[in-house]
Amino acid sequence: MAKKTIKDADGNYNYIRKTFTYKGQRFTVRGRTEKEAREKQYQLMRDLESGIAVRQHAAVMRQKSMTGDLTVSDYSQIWLETYIKPKIRKPGAAKQKNTIEEKSYDMYVYKLSGTILPAVGGLRLNEVVDTHLQQVLNDEKYKGRSKSHCEKVKIVMNAMFRQAVKSRLIQFNPAEDLIVTAEEGEGHRSLTPYEREVIQKVAKTHRCGLWVRFLLSTGLRPGESAPLQVSDIDFSEKLVKITKAIESGTENIIGPPKSKAGIRSVPLRDDIAKDLRTAIAGKKPTDFVFPQTDGKTMMTTTSLCNNWRSFSRQMDLAMGAETTAHGHIYDPKDVDKQGIPLYPDENGLPRNGHKIADDLVLYCLRHTFCTDLQKAGVPLNIARIIMGHEDIRITAAIYTHTDTEDVQAAGEKLNAYFLA
């Protein structure tokens, strides 16, 4: 029996709402009864399947654009459905021009729904100016969001408004010259001499020691090391061949590297080659070089993270991290449900026993390798090939990093020149 209509104390209807997701987009229907709401939901789902609702929605959007009533929120839905979603390629499919991973599409959706639309979604598309969008980035930076996050927000806004210009909905792209400021030290960095020393010490006993040393000595992306097979190691030529990687956003789907430039060979240093040869002795050409603990299965995205978490914890301990009697490193997150510190310091704040730097992440090994290439005198154009960078400006940005030793070395060269 159908549920009776619900009314409030004033005799007005309290409409029943039904919400559902169709192809990543949320839809809502309302009815005066449970039965009416469900019938509308089923009808809309049928219309979506047949394309009727999509065509009706597009017609409404066209009408709004003609009258100047099209909002940023309205247009973002058209843009995603028409220009971005069709670019998604199936997991594991070959990378082609103008295609993206589903993870990238999700990034567009998250940045829109979480940052852009709450700020400017209600504005008419033709009313948006650069100051509106620059304020979005400034606010995100003020909230302490990372440069990477702000850059992605900028990318999404620029792509969306650029397409609006091409579609002749607006005359100028207000996101064209936006600026993302960065705090000093933001982004990946190289290891300090002390960190490098601790890595070498911990690597002697940790089960992932050879893997970490390999990443540091070859500059491979972590996802490129997982599907690496014995046949990819050429000891006679002292090369490692990179032709595959775990596809970004997946656990264990093997695809090509990040870009065409990622298909490359990297030099294999003598010191790591000796230990690597011992580690893979007796393995078949198709076996993984760095398998999971069972010795056979390929590492997944999760196991890559877990391995580094385990290794960096041992680094933390080697640096003198303070622990409880049970070996737990005091952490600022050690609070109860009320936010009261479980292990307060002398000021009543959560005790922090970590000695390892917060910004020491797995990718620092790759960044360090690139700076090592520079210090070894490897030309920039060759370093780009070894790193697998599609754009040489990425390599150059790392090559421009200098430290005290670089400056002191330059001083010695100047002295040798003028005092000769």
Side-chain angles (χ1 to χ4, degrees), residues 77-91:
Q77 295 180 38
I78 300 173
W79 177 66
L80 282 172
E81 291 291 328
T82 308
Y83 298 102
I84 305 302
K85 185 175 286 188
K87 293 182 178 181
I88 300 175
R89 61 175 179 270
K90 294 181 179 179

Side-chain angles (χ1 to χ4, degrees), residues 287-416:
D287 287 343
F288 295 112
V289 176
F290 301 105
Q292 297 201 48
T293 52
D294 63 2
K296 296 180 180 180
T297 311
M298 183 187 78
M299 286 195 291
T300 64
T301 300
T302 298
S303 57
L304 288 169
C305 295
N306 289 340
N307 285 346
W308 172 249
R309 186 179 298 112
S310 173
F311 189 90
S312 59
R313 183 181 188 279
Q314 290 302 310
M315 286 185 62
D316 203 355
L317 293 171
M319 292 174 171
E322 300 172 24
T323 68
T324 66
H326 300 289
H328 170 72
I329 300 176
Y330 294 113
D331 190 275
K333 295 191 289 291
D334 295 332
V335 295
D336 62 18
K337 293 181 179 179
Q338 285 72 44
I340 300 175
L342 298 177
Y343 311 104
D345 61 15
E346 62 275 9
N347 298 315
L349 299 174
R351 189 172 178 181
N352 185 3
H354 294 293
K355 299 302 180 182
I356 195 170
D358 291 337
D359 62 348
L360 179 56
V361 296
L362 186 54
Y363 236 79
C364 289
L365 304 183
R366 176 170 164 80
H367 195 101
T368 302
F369 174 75
C370 193
T371 59
D372 286 347
L373 291 176
Q374 178 188 20
K375 292 179 178 180
V378 177
L380 179 61
N381 62 319
I382 303 301
R384 180 192 72 81
I385 296 172
I386 294 173
M387 293 297 297
H389 288 152
E390 199 161 29
D391 190 338
I392 198 169
R393 288 176 295 184
I394 300 174
T395 321
I398 302 174
Y399 258 48
T400 57
H401 291 181
T402 57
D403 55 25
T404 303
E405 292 180 359
D406 295 325
V407 177
Q408 290 172 333
E412 292 176 1
K413 289 181 180 179
L414 286 171
N415 284 331

Side-chain angles (χ1 to χ4, degrees), residues 226-256:
L228 199 67
Q229 295 172 299
V230 173
S231 58
D232 297 320
I233 309 296
D234 190 334
F235 289 104
S236 61
E237 296 291 335
K238 298 183 180 181
L239 293 174
V240 180
K241 301 172 185 176
I242 313 302
T243 59
K244 48 193 176 295
I246 294 180
E247 188 165 297
S248 178
T250 70
E251 270 296 296
N252 55 8
I253 294 177
I254 300 177

